[in-house]
């Protein structure tokens, strides 16, 4: 009887794991391309590709023209966002059509929170006015920034938790002057709440990860070793742990469960830092040197990329035990991934509704000019708060204070946004 129970349990685990993996429909790959800085020439353009899990076919989807490199790709609902050199580009998750774009010099990392787009920035040999900014993600209007005078250091990764954004500050574009700080932004009040110092062993944070109330920072210090910083978000206590088997710097890392998987640049050994024991050690020789790694907790899959930075890119997909599942050829320098699950993609996404406002600026009444039907109209402030919500096409703005606002126009298939200015008589 006991053997039958064991067989049933193993069968259940097998079916459960297969269902979990079946939720993963595709893997989006951001290829950084190749740029010759001596000749100021793009050798291979930045591109986005798609690996279909069912067919196991990789397809190139889009290129970002004119970008020297790319630095991030994230999913936000039914769209995905790409940070590429001086541009942020938004694509539809289902059709992969470009929805809109926004020019922003030195864009590095992205995070979406409600109606906000949080951006970090950095540029080599050039001072920017701010390295942390928050935009309205619908209109790209600037809502908040930490000015250079307050924080004169380039920024990197972003983690959002409990209405707060935690941002790694490394000054990574000023070689030899790296710093180690974590900025805490309150996204409700839009205030800089704290700047946490990681200390001399926590300089140059390269990757941020999160487990429950513990923020994890992998730091490349002064490029002669790497460390892990554990930050308790309740007490702000910080503990640093040097990675004993890294002599130069970590080229890539990712959080797998409650362990950090990492690899020294140019090496084939993988190390593992276990959060429960606070110990790091050699884990496995994989026979490959990776450029980027990413783990998906829903499918328990790890993407790890290989490249020579000029002519090829290959993505290896492993399970959590680093047993190989798939291998596919991508673009040059694949470094960032988005795991797209079936639950996050509906069969029909909202398309962009095109409309015009007349007049704009508005005193009290306006006309919406569009060839499409309208079911719903919202007036919002730049923080995304809905001030007026109507089903009919006419809205009286007489009681609205003078200022700048966002109009959202929607029907069952489309939604569009437009900024307008309300003025007094």
């Amino acid at each position: 009887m006991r053997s039958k129970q064991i067989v049933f349990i193993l069968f259940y685990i097998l079916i459960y794991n297969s269902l979990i993996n079946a939720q993963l429909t595709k893997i989006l790959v951001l290829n950084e391309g190749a740029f010759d800085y001596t000749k100021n020439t793009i050798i291979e353009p930045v591109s986005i590709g798609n690996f279909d899990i069912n067919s196991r076919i990789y397809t190139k989807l889009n290129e970002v023209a004119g970008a020297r490199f790319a630095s991030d790709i994230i999913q936000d609902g039914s769209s995905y966002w790409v940070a590429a050199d001086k541009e942020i580009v938004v694509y539809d998750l289902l059709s992969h059509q470009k929805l809109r774009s926004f020019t922003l010099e030195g864009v590095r990392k992205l995070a979406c929170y409600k109606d906000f787009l949080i951006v970090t920035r950095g540029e080599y040999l050039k001072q920017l006015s701010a390295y942390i900014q928050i935009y309205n993600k619908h209109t790209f209007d600037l809502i908040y920034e930490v000015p250079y005078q307050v924080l004169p250091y380039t920024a990197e990764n972003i983690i959002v938790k409990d209405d707060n954004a935690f941002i790694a500050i490394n000054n990574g574009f000023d070689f030899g002057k790296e710093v180690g700080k974590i900025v805490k932004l309150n996204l409700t009040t839009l205030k800089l709440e704290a700047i946490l110092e990681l200390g001399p062993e926590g300089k140059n944070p390269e990757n941020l990860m999160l487990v429950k109330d513990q923020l994890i920072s992998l730091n490349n210090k002064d490029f002669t070793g790497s460390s892990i910083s554990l930050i308790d978000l309740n007490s702000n206590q910080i503990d640093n742990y040097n990675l004993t088997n890294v002599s130069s710097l970590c080229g890539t890392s990712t959080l797998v469960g409650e362990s950090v998987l990492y690899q020294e640049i140019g090496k084939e050994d993988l190390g593992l830092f276990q959060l429960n024991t606070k110990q790091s050690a050699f884990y496995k020789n994989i026979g490959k040197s990776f450029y980027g790694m990413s783990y998906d907790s829903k499918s328990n899959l790890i993407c790890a990329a290989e490249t020579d930075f000029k002519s090829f890119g290959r993505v290896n997909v492993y399970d959590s035990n680093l047993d190989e599942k798939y291998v596919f050829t991508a673009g040059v320098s694949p470094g960032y991934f988005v795991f797209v699950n079936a639950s996050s993609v509906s069969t029909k996404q909202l398309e962009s509704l095109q409309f015009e406002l007349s007049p704009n600026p508005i005193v009290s009444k306006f006309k919406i000019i569009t060839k499409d039907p309208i079911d719903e109209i919202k007036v919002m402030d730049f923080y995304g708060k809905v001030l007026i919500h109507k089903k009919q096409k006419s809205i009286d703005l007489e009681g609205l204070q003078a200022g700048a606002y966002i109009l959202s126009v929607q029907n069952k298939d489309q939604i569009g946004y437009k900024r307008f200015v309300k003025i007094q008589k």
Side-chain angles (χ1 to χ4, degrees):
M1 183 68 180
R2 183 173 178 80
S3 62
K4 289 183 179 180
Q5 289 176 334
I6 292 173
V7 169
F8 176 78
I9 291 171
L10 291 174
F11 176 76
Y12 175 81
I13 292 173
L14 179 64
I15 295 298
Y16 176 78
N17 286 336
S18 67
L19 287 173
I20 291 297
N21 277 279
Q23 291 180 357
L24 185 68
T25 60
K26 54 189 175 184
I27 300 171
L28 298 178
V29 182
L30 177 61
N31 305 288
E32 296 184 42
F35 185 79
D36 188 331
Y37 283 88
T38 61
K39 298 179 180 179
N40 198 33
T41 303
I42 295 174
I43 302 169
E44 187 70 24
V46 170
S47 66
I48 303 100
N50 173 62
F51 178 70
D52 185 271
I53 294 295
N54 294 322
S55 67
R56 302 189 184 182
I57 294 174
Y58 175 82
T59 306
K60 181 179 175 179
L61 300 171
N62 290 291
E63 290 184 358
V64 184
R68 297 170 297 171
F69 57 87
S71 54
D72 206 7
I73 181 171
I74 64 169
Q75 180 185 344
D76 179 52
S78 61
S79 61
Y80 57 95
W81 300 57
V82 172
D85 192 3
K86 299 178 181 180
E87 188 176 15
I88 300 171
V89 190
V90 188
Y91 298 94
D92 183 85
L93 191 60
L94 191 64
S95 68
H96 303 292
Q97 295 297 308
K98 180 179 175 179
L99 299 176
R100 58 193 190 278
S101 63
F102 170 45
T103 300
L104 183 66
E105 185 176 19
V107 58
R108 297 295 301 162
K109 301 295 181 184
L110 309 172
C112 287
Y113 166 85
K114 297 182 179 178
D115 290 303
F116 293 165
L117 171 66
I118 308 161
V119 177
T120 61
R121 303 170 69 197
E123 183 61 84
Y124 184 57
L125 295 178
K126 186 167 185 179
Q127 178 183 313
L128 302 177
S129 61
Y131 296 108
I132 299 174
Q133 294 179 317
I134 298 177
Y135 291 84
N136 182 289
K137 72 179 184 181
H138 306 298
T139 64
F140 295 135
D141 285 289
L142 180 63
I143 296 173
Y144 172 83
E145 66 180 8
V146 181
Y148 173 87
Q149 292 77 7
V150 175
L151 195 71
Y153 306 113
T154 59
E156 272 292 330
N157 285 59
I158 309 164
I159 292 285
V160 175
K161 184 184 188 307
D162 296 339
D163 299 329
N164 294 299
F166 299 91
I167 299 171
I169 309 297
N170 62 6
N171 206 35
F173 287 87
D174 195 355
F175 298 108
K177 297 182 180 179
E178 294 80 15
V179 301
K181 304 174 187 288
I182 302 294
V183 161
K184 180 182 179 182
L185 288 183
N186 187 313
L187 298 176
T188 302
T189 61
L190 291 181
K191 289 184 179 179
L192 173 60
E193 287 211 341
I195 300 178
L196 306 178
E197 298 285 347
L198 297 179
E201 295 300 317
K203 285 200 307 180
N204 201 4
E206 185 270 338
N207 189 18
L208 286 185
M209 297 155 276
L210 181 70
V211 173
K212 298 176 183 176
D213 290 327
Q214 188 172 64
L215 190 66
I216 305 147
S217 174
L218 189 142
N219 320 299
N220 278 328
K221 303 201 295 185
D222 59 356
F223 306 109
T224 58
S226 295
S227 68
I228 292 280
S229 295
L230 301 181
I231 304 107
D232 187 313
L233 296 182
N234 295 314
S235 64
N236 288 341
Q237 179 178 333
I238 299 170
D239 296 304
N240 294 321
Y241 302 87
N242 285 312
L243 299 178
T244 55
N245 56 332
V246 175
S247 59
S248 58
L249 69 151
C250 285
T252 184
S253 61
T254 190
L255 182 70
V256 181
E258 295 197 1
S259 298
V260 178
L261 187 68
Y262 60 89
Q263 187 179 60
E264 186 173 356
I265 191 167
K267 301 294 180 65
E268 296 182 347
D269 289 349
L270 288 170
L272 197 69
F273 179 87
Q274 296 181 321
L275 296 177
N276 58 344
T277 63
K278 313 293 191 298
Q279 297 291 320
S280 62
F282 165 80
Y283 178 58
K284 185 177 288 190
N285 185 305
I286 205 71
K288 298 169 183 176
S289 180
F290 297 134
Y291 178 52
M293 286 195 302
S294 186
Y295 172 70
D296 177 46
S297 59
K298 292 182 179 179
S299 62
N300 288 322
L301 293 179
I302 300 168
C303 278
E306 301 174 83
T307 185
D308 64 355
F309 304 103
K310 59 183 179 181
S311 64
F312 90 97
R314 182 168 49 244
V315 178
N316 307 271
V317 184
Y318 302 94
D319 63 20
S320 56
N321 295 316
L322 287 174
D323 293 324
E324 191 174 271
K325 303 287 289 184
Y326 320 108
V327 179
F328 60 91
T329 300
V332 174
S333 306
Y336 304 94
F337 309 94
V338 168
F339 298 86
V340 182
N341 296 287
S343 59
S344 67
V345 184
S346 63
T347 57
K348 189 173 185 179
Q349 306 294 341
L350 287 179
E351 299 176 356
S352 179
L353 190 150
Q354 302 299 318
F355 69 95
E356 296 296 331
L357 283 181
S358 181
N360 190 7
I362 300 168
V363 176
S364 61
K365 297 181 180 180
F366 60 90
K367 182 187 295 184
I368 298 173
I369 305 169
T370 178
K371 63 181 180 180
D372 299 304
I374 298 174
D375 297 332
E376 190 175 86
I377 300 172
K378 294 179 184 177
V379 173
M380 301 177 288
D381 62 20
F382 283 96
Y383 304 105
K385 181 181 179 182
V386 177
L387 305 174
I388 302 174
H389 184 190
K390 298 285 187 179
K391 296 293 183 180
Q392 63 266 33
K393 295 181 181 180
S394 61
I395 296 179
D396 186 357
L397 301 181
E398 191 69 40
L400 200 65
Q401 291 184 350
Y405 299 92
I406 297 168
L407 183 70
S408 165
V409 178
Q410 183 174 350
N411 58 37
K412 65 177 182 178
D413 297 322
Q414 300 168 296
I415 188 169
Y417 299 93
K418 191 82 66 177
R419 184 175 67 162
F420 72 90
V421 176
K422 167 70 165 61
I423 58 176
Q424 299 292 354
K425 291 181 180 180

